Amino acid sequence: MAAQQEITQRDLRNRSKEIMDAVQGGQAFTVTRDGHRIGELIPLRRRRRFVPRGEFAAMSRTASDISLDAYRADQDATAEQRLDDPYAR
């Protein structure tokens, strides 16, 4: 991972459009004030809404099998199964 470019608070104020365009383009920055690191500007990860069928099939082939009986046993072991009477105080 490459080191983030450091910018001062003043740089951020004076060159905000240029810096924000760079963040939108994927670059990250560490913001400093009086020589101390105070924050990071990092691009947001964009989530895909659609996974192509071939990619999904490839991921599914390497996934482990799930035992329905083991899953239910785990649920029964951890979940509270009795019903409480709200009037029994």
Side-chain angles (χ1 to χ4, degrees):
M1 179 178 220
Q4 294 178 3
Q5 180 179 342
E6 287 192 2
I7 57 171
T8 64
Q9 179 183 4
R10 179 175 291 179
D11 285 337
L12 179 58
R13 183 184 67 227
N14 293 336
R15 300 177 23 224
S16 63
K17 181 186 181 332
E18 173 189 342
I19 292 168
M20 289 302 172
D21 287 345
V23 171
Q24 187 175 10
Q27 188 173 355
F29 296 91
T30 300
V31 181
T32 62
R33 179 193 301 155
D34 298 327
H36 301 287
R37 293 176 175 179
I38 60 168
E40 294 179 322
L41 287 174
I42 57 173
L44 293 175
R45 288 189 222 157
R46 300 192 191 272
R47 295 180 66 190
R48 292 190 301 176
R49 301 188 113 183
F50 172 76
V51 177
R53 181 183 301 228
E55 187 177 334
F56 180 78
M59 289 187 301
S60 299
R61 280 191 291 273
T62 60
S64 60
D65 290 335
I66 297 174
S67 165
L68 185 56
D69 292 332
Y71 175 77
R72 287 184 178 155
D74 287 345
Q75 292 296 309
D76 289 341
T78 59
E80 182 81 25
Q81 295 293 324
R82 64 185 171 96
L83 297 175
D84 291 332
D85 182 0
Y87 299 106
R89 292 189 180 178

